[in-house]
Amino acid sequence: VEGVLNQTTLPVDQRDKILTITKQFASKGYRMLAVGRSDYSDQKFPLSQQEFEFQFLGLIGFYDPPKKNIAATLQKFYKAGIEVKMITGDYTETAVAIAEQIEMKKGTGILTGDKVIEMNDRELREQVRKVNIFARMFPAAKLKVIEALKANGEVVAMTGDGVNDGPALKAAHIGIAMGKRGSEVAKNAASLVLVDDDLFNMTEAVALGRRIYENLKK
């Protein structure tokens, strides 16, 4: 939304009103996009879309409800001693709303992609121990969080489905892509693909792996 608004000539009060409405919907778990149009008659196009001037047309809200079994899945992870962190490009308000719906442990505070990039390695290593929600993230920030967790001695499994998740999936000890809705980039970068996109199967895989490991030790 901010990207479109930055390319309009709307007065400040109208921009503030649009951003307020955006955050209201985001706090209910909606993913928000702004729609704009540009009438361009020159034959020579600018180098990037950021150089167009947009007429603001409106907002679109997408609601992608969490799967029904995700809360139970998280509880299984917690019981198994596995920490769960949310790394998303969504608004902070959207991330918090989804975390509440799925009964996820929120940790202390929320970090955005810009804050992650600003931190030095030592600061970030300390923060990733306590923070469980990372919002407004982009590829470089996701990768930096994964590297910080690894530097803390954690075994890191990263799930993702988009092109933007590629670098982080590759860097994690176990990159896990979604088989149904996952992009080819994500699936090629991952070491494991969930055929039915169901995280619950991961808890069964962990249990089976631990059983095999215990048997080998015996």
Side-chain angles (χ1 to χ4, degrees):
V1 174
E2 298 97 322
V4 172
L5 289 180
N6 287 340
Q7 290 172 240
T8 67
T9 55
L10 288 174
V12 175
D13 60 332
Q14 287 190 36
R15 289 191 189 198
D16 289 344
K17 183 180 179 181
I18 292 166
L19 288 173
T20 298
I21 294 170
T22 298
K23 290 184 178 181
Q24 286 173 350
F25 278 99
S27 65
K28 297 176 183 177
Y30 286 86
R31 290 174 168 176
M32 300 302 294
L33 290 179
V35 182
R37 63 173 287 173
S38 179
D39 293 314
Y40 196 79
S41 57
D42 197 328
Q43 294 299 309
K44 186 179 179 182
F45 280 85
L47 292 175
S48 72
Q49 65 183 27
Q50 278 70 34
E51 294 173 57
F52 286 108
E53 183 179 301
F54 286 147
Q55 173 193 353
F56 178 78
L57 297 181
L59 295 169
I60 297 178
F62 296 89
Y63 186 62
D64 183 14
K67 289 190 176 179
K68 293 179 180 179
N69 68 346
I70 193 64
T73 301
L74 286 183
Q75 294 309 312
K76 280 201 126 186
F77 279 130
Y78 293 143
K79 286 179 182 177
I82 298 171
E83 291 185 39
V84 180
K85 298 183 186 292
M86 180 190 295
I87 303 179
T88 177
D90 290 331
Y91 280 100
T92 300
E93 292 84 359
T94 305
V96 171
I98 296 296
E100 288 174 352
Q101 290 174 29
I102 64 177
E103 300 174 23
M104 177 183 167
K105 294 178 182 176
K106 293 189 218 171
T108 58
I110 297 165
L111 281 181
T112 62
D114 288 337
K115 287 182 181 177
V116 166
I117 293 299
E118 287 172 6
M119 288 182 176
N120 61 44
D121 292 343
R122 185 183 58 80
E123 287 176 319
L124 186 58
R125 284 179 61 179
E126 187 61 36
Q127 285 298 313
V128 295
R129 298 180 199 273
K130 304 177 288 185
V131 175
N132 289 341
I133 299 177
F134 299 83
R136 302 301 274 170
M137 297 288 279
F138 41 88
K142 292 179 182 181
L143 178 60
K144 195 172 178 181
V145 168
I146 297 299
E147 295 293 0
L149 288 166
K150 287 167 64 179
N152 283 344
E154 303 283 359
V155 176
V156 183
M158 161 82 182
T159 64
D161 58 10
V163 173
N164 289 343
D165 296 320
L169 285 168
K170 195 77 174 173
H173 292 112
I174 310 164
I176 304 167
M178 301 296 143
K180 286 184 177 179
R181 65 171 185 233
S183 65
E184 287 304 311
V185 171
K187 286 188 269 192
N188 288 331
S191 52
L192 187 67
V193 177
L194 291 178
V195 177
D196 59 359
D197 292 8
D198 193 344
L199 296 181
F200 190 80
N201 293 332
M202 284 173 58
T203 64
E204 296 177 335
V206 169
L208 181 61
R210 288 182 176 182
R211 195 178 308 134
I212 292 170
Y213 178 66
E214 287 300 319
N215 288 338
L216 286 170
K217 284 205 300 181
K218 290 173 185 175

